[in-house]
Amino acid sequence: MKRRDFLATGTGLGVAALTGCTTTATGFAPAPTTGDALVQSIGAPMRPIKSSMSRVTRTIVGLRPFRKPGPRLEAVKVGTKHVVHNYGHGGGGVSLSWGVAELAATLTKATHADKVAVLGSGAIGLSTAILLQRAGMQVTIYAKDFPPYTTSNVAGAMWHPVTLFENDQVSQETLAMLDLASRIAFNRFIRFANDPKYGVYWIRQYSLSDRPMSTLRPYVGGDTLYPGLKRNQAGGPFGFPYYDGYYTLMIDPDIYLRALVNDFLAAGGRMKEMTFETEGDLETLGESSIVNCMGLGSGKVFGDESIIPARGQLSFLLPQNDIDYGYAGSTDDYGLLYSFPRKTGILLGGSVDKGDWSLEPRADEIRRMVDGHAYLASKLA
């Protein structure tokens, strides 16, 4: 995918052709004070992010499990095992986790098994395992890696399901499933908001464009899931002439996944290290009911050629207490840029490279993001 193509392919995000940035004056400017509110109003002034190489603390790379037809969520028979597939969520894995977990748990409960194996320990695997526990089942998670070494740990994790499918390959059934899963997931995540144990908190978010933005399609799950939503507004931040703005939840994966692991273990769950190479390896498990949440690993084990990596590189800056907003937009000189605030640091991103398996950070990408976000910050000065 080209840098200038927005990462929300096929999600109804409404960001149209983000191909430039102007210096039009707007009402968005540096804030003289953050005030008493934890999150300021959508149109409130903004403080600039301090983006420089000297403030970069780390750079990480993750491979989103992107499946061109969209996520796979279905029950099948594999050998002697009842398997519920729950994988291929692209850049929406964390956002959708509680929703697709509930749908997968419903299919699993139909087997009437008292013991269940969950494959994979990312956000979707952990959420699924916890819901099955609450249904009275004895659950064991089998995985090659556990938090903090999962793909979910290197997710951007701003609540808004993105990079979910190719428009020309997704079915209406999958679109309906994604809307339902989004509604379920949001209503569960909102219960964690501002609880320091889980690292979930409110931010204001902006989608930026240099031309009018389509409002024909609702956001994933429906516009009501995005409090304060303002669509196709004129005079956006950083000099962009158009923007969408709304409130959403920021999820810090390092804090959040650690909390889920603790919840799962405290309820009697077990976690076992295991690698699967083929479908036949499932026969080594004692459980007859299995939920597959392995993400990219599902391609090899189950022969799914439709799943590919969508590489994302993230750099983090030292934290700033006065940043309560995130954004995504594209400029002529720096391509796609997005940033989200976390308590542990300011996340800088802007890459969705489909088919790229490399996990090595790229110095030119670090510099592009740092310089690009500094350029945007200068528009608030």
Short mmCIF file of all heavy atoms in Angstrom, two decimals, residues 38-70:
data_model
loop_
_atom_site.label_atom_id
_atom_site.label_comp_id
_atom_site.label_asym_id
_atom_site.label_seq_id
_atom_site.Cartn_x
_atom_site.Cartn_y
_atom_site.Cartn_z
N LEU A 38 -10.41 16.18 31.55
CA LEU A 38 -9.46 15.16 31.13
C LEU A 38 -9.30 15.17 29.62
O LEU A 38 -8.23 14.85 29.09
CB LEU A 38 -9.93 13.78 31.60
CG LEU A 38 -9.91 13.55 33.12
CD1 LEU A 38 -10.50 12.19 33.46
CD2 LEU A 38 -8.50 13.68 33.67
N VAL A 39 -10.36 15.49 28.91
CA VAL A 39 -10.34 15.61 27.45
C VAL A 39 -11.03 16.91 27.07
O VAL A 39 -12.15 17.17 27.51
CB VAL A 39 -11.04 14.42 26.78
CG1 VAL A 39 -10.92 14.53 25.26
CG2 VAL A 39 -10.47 13.10 27.25
N GLN A 40 -10.39 17.71 26.25
CA GLN A 40 -10.96 18.98 25.85
C GLN A 40 -12.01 18.78 24.75
O GLN A 40 -12.14 17.70 24.18
CB GLN A 40 -9.86 19.91 25.35
CG GLN A 40 -8.74 20.14 26.37
CD GLN A 40 -9.24 20.76 27.66
OE1 GLN A 40 -9.95 21.75 27.64
NE2 GLN A 40 -8.89 20.16 28.79
N SER A 41 -12.77 19.84 24.47
CA SER A 41 -13.78 19.76 23.42
C SER A 41 -13.11 19.59 22.06
O SER A 41 -11.93 19.90 21.88
CB SER A 41 -14.64 21.02 23.43
OG SER A 41 -13.85 22.15 23.08
N ILE A 42 -13.87 19.06 21.08
CA ILE A 42 -13.32 18.78 19.76
C ILE A 42 -12.67 20.02 19.15
O ILE A 42 -11.61 19.95 18.52
CB ILE A 42 -14.41 18.24 18.82
CG1 ILE A 42 -14.97 16.92 19.36
CG2 ILE A 42 -13.88 18.06 17.40
CD1 ILE A 42 -13.97 15.81 19.45
N GLY A 43 -13.27 21.17 19.33
CA GLY A 43 -12.74 22.39 18.73
C GLY A 43 -11.79 23.17 19.61
O GLY A 43 -11.40 24.28 19.26
N ALA A 44 -11.42 22.63 20.75
CA ALA A 44 -10.55 23.36 21.68
C ALA A 44 -9.13 23.47 21.12
O ALA A 44 -8.70 22.66 20.30
CB ALA A 44 -10.52 22.65 23.03
N PRO A 45 -8.38 24.49 21.54
CA PRO A 45 -6.98 24.62 21.12
C PRO A 45 -6.17 23.39 21.47
O PRO A 45 -6.52 22.62 22.37
CB PRO A 45 -6.50 25.85 21.89
CG PRO A 45 -7.74 26.64 22.16
CD PRO A 45 -8.81 25.60 22.41
N MET A 46 -5.07 23.20 20.76
CA MET A 46 -4.22 22.02 20.92
C MET A 46 -2.78 22.43 21.15
O MET A 46 -2.29 23.37 20.53
CB MET A 46 -4.33 21.15 19.66
CG MET A 46 -5.74 20.74 19.32
SD MET A 46 -5.92 20.22 17.59
CE MET A 46 -4.97 18.73 17.58
N ARG A 47 -2.11 21.72 22.03
CA ARG A 47 -0.68 21.93 22.20
C ARG A 47 0.09 21.09 21.20
O ARG A 47 -0.32 19.97 20.87
CB ARG A 47 -0.26 21.57 23.62
CG ARG A 47 -0.73 22.55 24.69
CD ARG A 47 -0.12 22.24 26.03
NE ARG A 47 -0.56 23.17 27.06
CZ ARG A 47 0.00 24.34 27.30
NH1 ARG A 47 1.02 24.73 26.57
NH2 ARG A 47 -0.47 25.12 28.26
N PRO A 48 1.20 21.59 20.68
CA PRO A 48 1.96 20.81 19.69
C PRO A 48 2.76 19.68 20.33
O PRO A 48 3.25 19.80 21.46
CB PRO A 48 2.89 21.86 19.07
CG PRO A 48 3.05 22.90 20.14
CD PRO A 48 1.75 22.94 20.87
N ILE A 49 2.86 18.59 19.61
CA ILE A 49 3.72 17.48 20.01
C ILE A 49 5.18 17.88 19.81
O ILE A 49 5.53 18.51 18.81
CB ILE A 49 3.38 16.22 19.19
CG1 ILE A 49 2.01 15.67 19.57
CG2 ILE A 49 4.45 15.15 19.34
CD1 ILE A 49 1.52 14.56 18.68
N LYS A 50 6.02 17.54 20.74
CA LYS A 50 7.45 17.82 20.64
C LYS A 50 8.13 16.64 19.94
O LYS A 50 8.59 15.70 20.58
CB LYS A 50 8.04 18.04 22.03
CG LYS A 50 7.41 19.21 22.78
CD LYS A 50 7.92 19.29 24.21
CE LYS A 50 7.24 20.42 24.97
NZ LYS A 50 7.67 20.46 26.40
N SER A 51 8.14 16.69 18.61
CA SER A 51 8.67 15.58 17.82
C SER A 51 10.08 15.87 17.36
O SER A 51 10.32 16.75 16.52
CB SER A 51 7.76 15.33 16.61
OG SER A 51 8.20 14.22 15.88
N SER A 52 11.03 15.15 17.93
CA SER A 52 12.43 15.29 17.54
C SER A 52 13.14 13.96 17.79
O SER A 52 12.70 13.16 18.62
CB SER A 52 13.12 16.41 18.31
OG SER A 52 13.23 16.07 19.69
N MET A 53 14.23 13.72 17.09
CA MET A 53 14.97 12.47 17.26
C MET A 53 15.47 12.31 18.69
O MET A 53 15.58 11.19 19.19
CB MET A 53 16.15 12.43 16.27
CG MET A 53 15.73 12.34 14.81
SD MET A 53 14.81 10.83 14.41
CE MET A 53 16.08 9.58 14.68
N SER A 54 15.77 13.42 19.35
CA SER A 54 16.29 13.34 20.72
C SER A 54 15.23 12.86 21.71
O SER A 54 15.58 12.47 22.83
CB SER A 54 16.84 14.70 21.16
OG SER A 54 15.79 15.66 21.23
N ARG A 55 13.95 12.89 21.33
CA ARG A 55 12.88 12.46 22.22
C ARG A 55 12.35 11.07 21.88
O ARG A 55 11.43 10.57 22.53
CB ARG A 55 11.73 13.48 22.17
CG ARG A 55 12.09 14.84 22.75
CD ARG A 55 10.92 15.80 22.72
NE ARG A 55 9.83 15.39 23.59
CZ ARG A 55 9.75 15.64 24.90
NH1 ARG A 55 10.74 16.30 25.51
NH2 ARG A 55 8.72 15.25 25.61
N VAL A 56 12.93 10.42 20.87
CA VAL A 56 12.50 9.06 20.51
C VAL A 56 13.02 8.08 21.55
O VAL A 56 14.22 8.03 21.84
CB VAL A 56 13.01 8.68 19.11
CG1 VAL A 56 12.68 7.22 18.81
CG2 VAL A 56 12.40 9.59 18.05
N THR A 57 12.12 7.29 22.12
CA THR A 57 12.51 6.32 23.15
C THR A 57 12.66 4.90 22.60
O THR A 57 13.46 4.12 23.09
CB THR A 57 11.48 6.30 24.29
OG1 THR A 57 10.19 5.93 23.76
CG2 THR A 57 11.39 7.66 24.95
N ARG A 58 11.88 4.55 21.58
CA ARG A 58 11.98 3.21 21.00
C ARG A 58 11.20 3.19 19.68
O ARG A 58 10.35 4.04 19.42
CB ARG A 58 11.41 2.15 21.93
CG ARG A 58 9.94 2.34 22.27
CD ARG A 58 9.37 1.18 23.06
NE ARG A 58 7.99 1.42 23.46
CZ ARG A 58 7.05 0.48 23.58
NH1 ARG A 58 7.36 -0.77 23.33
NH2 ARG A 58 5.82 0.78 23.95
N THR A 59 11.53 2.19 18.86
CA THR A 59 10.81 1.94 17.62
C THR A 59 10.49 0.46 17.54
O THR A 59 11.36 -0.39 17.82
CB THR A 59 11.64 2.36 16.40
OG1 THR A 59 11.83 3.79 16.42
CG2 THR A 59 10.92 2.00 15.10
N ILE A 60 9.25 0.13 17.20
CA ILE A 60 8.82 -1.26 17.13
C ILE A 60 8.13 -1.50 15.79
O ILE A 60 7.67 -0.57 15.14
CB ILE A 60 7.87 -1.63 18.29
CG1 ILE A 60 6.64 -0.70 18.29
CG2 ILE A 60 8.59 -1.54 19.62
CD1 ILE A 60 5.63 -1.03 19.37
N VAL A 61 8.08 -2.75 15.40
CA VAL A 61 7.44 -3.15 14.14
C VAL A 61 6.47 -4.29 14.43
O VAL A 61 6.80 -5.23 15.15
CB VAL A 61 8.49 -3.59 13.10
CG1 VAL A 61 7.79 -4.09 11.83
CG2 VAL A 61 9.44 -2.46 12.78
N GLY A 62 5.29 -4.19 13.85
CA GLY A 62 4.31 -5.26 13.99
C GLY A 62 3.74 -5.63 12.63
O GLY A 62 3.72 -4.81 11.70
N LEU A 63 3.29 -6.88 12.50
CA LEU A 63 2.70 -7.37 11.26
C LEU A 63 1.23 -7.63 11.50
O LEU A 63 0.83 -8.61 12.13
CB LEU A 63 3.40 -8.66 10.81
CG LEU A 63 4.91 -8.57 10.60
CD1 LEU A 63 5.47 -9.92 10.17
CD2 LEU A 63 5.27 -7.49 9.60
N ARG A 64 0.40 -6.70 11.01
CA ARG A 64 -1.04 -6.88 11.15
C ARG A 64 -1.50 -8.09 10.34
O ARG A 64 -1.09 -8.25 9.19
CB ARG A 64 -1.78 -5.64 10.65
CG ARG A 64 -1.34 -4.31 11.26
CD ARG A 64 -2.02 -3.17 10.53
NE ARG A 64 -1.62 -1.86 11.00
CZ ARG A 64 -0.60 -1.15 10.50
NH1 ARG A 64 0.14 -1.68 9.53
NH2 ARG A 64 -0.32 0.04 10.96
N PRO A 65 -2.36 -8.95 10.89
CA PRO A 65 -2.85 -10.11 10.15
C PRO A 65 -4.00 -9.72 9.23
O PRO A 65 -5.18 -9.83 9.59
CB PRO A 65 -3.29 -11.07 11.25
CG PRO A 65 -3.71 -10.16 12.37
CD PRO A 65 -2.82 -8.95 12.30
N PHE A 66 -3.66 -9.26 8.04
CA PHE A 66 -4.66 -8.73 7.11
C PHE A 66 -5.18 -9.83 6.19
O PHE A 66 -4.40 -10.53 5.53
CB PHE A 66 -4.06 -7.61 6.28
CG PHE A 66 -4.99 -7.03 5.26
CD1 PHE A 66 -6.04 -6.21 5.66
CD2 PHE A 66 -4.84 -7.31 3.91
CE1 PHE A 66 -6.92 -5.68 4.73
CE2 PHE A 66 -5.71 -6.77 2.98
CZ PHE A 66 -6.75 -5.96 3.38
N ARG A 67 -6.48 -9.96 6.14
CA ARG A 67 -7.12 -10.97 5.28
C ARG A 67 -8.00 -10.23 4.28
O ARG A 67 -8.92 -9.51 4.68
CB ARG A 67 -7.93 -11.93 6.14
CG ARG A 67 -8.42 -13.17 5.43
CD ARG A 67 -8.95 -14.18 6.45
NE ARG A 67 -9.44 -15.37 5.79
CZ ARG A 67 -10.70 -15.54 5.39
NH1 ARG A 67 -11.59 -14.58 5.59
NH2 ARG A 67 -11.06 -16.66 4.80
N LYS A 68 -7.73 -10.38 3.01
CA LYS A 68 -8.39 -9.58 1.98
C LYS A 68 -9.92 -9.65 2.04
O LYS A 68 -10.58 -8.63 1.86
CB LYS A 68 -7.87 -9.97 0.60
CG LYS A 68 -6.39 -9.65 0.41
CD LYS A 68 -5.89 -10.07 -0.96
CE LYS A 68 -4.41 -9.77 -1.11
NZ LYS A 68 -3.90 -10.18 -2.44
N PRO A 69 -10.53 -10.84 2.29
CA PRO A 69 -12.00 -10.87 2.38
C PRO A 69 -12.52 -10.38 3.73
O PRO A 69 -13.73 -10.36 3.95
CB PRO A 69 -12.33 -12.36 2.20
CG PRO A 69 -11.07 -13.02 1.75
CD PRO A 69 -9.96 -12.18 2.30
N GLY A 70 -11.62 -10.01 4.63
CA GLY A 70 -12.03 -9.62 5.98
C GLY A 70 -11.81 -10.75 6.96
O GLY A 70 -11.40 -11.85 6.59
#
